[in-house]
Amino acid sequence: MPLPALGREFPGWFQDVEVIARFMGRLHALFGRDFVIGVSDNVLGIAEDLYFVQSDVPDLAKLRNALGTGDVSSPL
């Protein structure tokens, strides 16, 4: 999914990311594997890992900070 410009997120944008992170947390609990949330620029061919899901309850505040999102419509 596209990463919006800082401060220009549409309402609820982070909710989609939150659902993915929580799902990765459930997968971690089931299989004991860590997962990574990152960003990439397909045009420039670069990627960066931003947040590691290493428990069954991801720290959504840290994830929000790593993404640099200002979307606060989703409760933590």
Side-chain angles (χ1 to χ4, degrees):
M1 72 171 81
L3 182 63
L6 182 59
R8 302 195 72 171
E9 304 88 358
F10 57 87
W13 177 85
F14 187 73
Q15 289 176 344
D16 291 339
V17 177
E18 183 178 319
V19 168
I20 293 167
R22 289 180 190 272
F23 179 69
M24 289 178 176
R26 287 194 299 274
L27 290 176
H28 173 81
L30 288 171
F31 301 109
R33 298 288 192 186
D34 295 345
F35 295 88
V36 179
I37 296 176
V39 294
S40 68
D41 185 320
N42 294 334
V43 174
L44 297 176
I46 57 173
E48 184 174 349
D49 296 340
L50 297 178
Y51 181 80
F52 292 85
V53 179
Q54 299 173 313
S55 73
D56 58 334
V57 182
D59 186 334
L60 299 176
K62 284 186 180 180
L63 175 56
R64 183 184 303 277
N65 187 50
L67 291 174
T69 181
D71 176 7
V72 294
S73 63
S74 174
L76 297 176

